[in-house]
């Protein structure tokens, strides 16, 4: 288990940018890491992941969002050209992985408390 704390959320206008950070309580280089989001009334969905050495993005954010790590304890999600449909609570996640898809919530065992992103038109 690893403790995760997100920050960087906020309220912005469409087209603007935000950078989310996720700080872990221990080194994460041997974990699969991911960003997920959940809007009211919707299921939690994968946004981006660093999983088994590869980098993955949801189709809805490709070309706009970038996931990265400092190979130590912090993971980032750079979000550009934000849209109102990006409005959600964003969570970071870590896990050893079980050989499934990067965007399957069951692949992750540690979750942060979330940070709210609100994009207005």
């Amino acid at each position: 288990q690893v403790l995760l704390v997100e920050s960087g959320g906020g309220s912005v206008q469409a087209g603007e940018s935000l950078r989310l950070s996720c700080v872990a309580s221990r080194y994460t280089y041997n974990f699969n890491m991911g960003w997920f989001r959940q809007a009211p009334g919707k299921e939690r969905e994968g946004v981006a992941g660093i999983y088994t050495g590869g980098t993955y993005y949801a189709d809805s954010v490709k070309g706009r969002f970038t996931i990265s790590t400092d190979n130590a304890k912090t993971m980032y999600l750079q979000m550009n050209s934000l849209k109102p449909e990006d409005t959600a609570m964003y969570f970071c996640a870590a896990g050893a992985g079980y050989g499934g898809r990067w965007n399957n919530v069951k692949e992750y065992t540690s979750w942060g408390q979330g940070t709210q992103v609100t994009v207005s038109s």
Side-chain angles (χ1 to χ4, degrees), residues 53-75:
T55 302
Y56 302 89
Y57 295 94
D59 288 343
S60 59
V61 307
K62 281 180 181 176
R64 300 188 298 122
F65 290 11
T66 303
I67 187 172
S68 63
T69 70
D70 62 359
N71 291 320
K73 296 183 180 180
T74 306
M75 178 174 66

Side-chain angles (χ1 to χ4, degrees), residues 5-92:
V5 179
E6 306 95 335
S7 63
S11 296
V12 297
Q13 297 287 321
E16 294 184 342
S17 299
L18 282 173
R19 189 192 196 201
L20 305 184
S21 298
C22 172
V23 179
S25 60
R26 52 182 289 192
Y27 290 108
T28 59
Y29 57 84
N30 59 341
F31 283 90
N32 294 312
M33 303 292 293
W35 285 100
F36 287 74
R37 66 186 181 189
Q38 189 167 18
K42 294 188 176 181
E43 293 187 354
R44 191 167 296 190
E45 63 173 355
V47 176
I50 298 175
Y51 194 83
T52 60
T55 302
Y56 302 89
Y57 295 94
D59 288 343
S60 59
V61 307
K62 281 180 181 176
R64 300 188 298 122
F65 290 11
T66 303
I67 187 172
S68 63
T69 70
D70 62 359
N71 291 320
K73 296 183 180 180
T74 306
M75 178 174 66
Y76 304 96
L77 185 68
Q78 178 67 43
M79 305 186 296
N80 298 329
S81 303
L82 282 162
K83 303 176 180 180
E85 51 263 43
D86 295 319
T87 295
M89 184 73 78
Y90 283 70
F91 301 88
C92 67

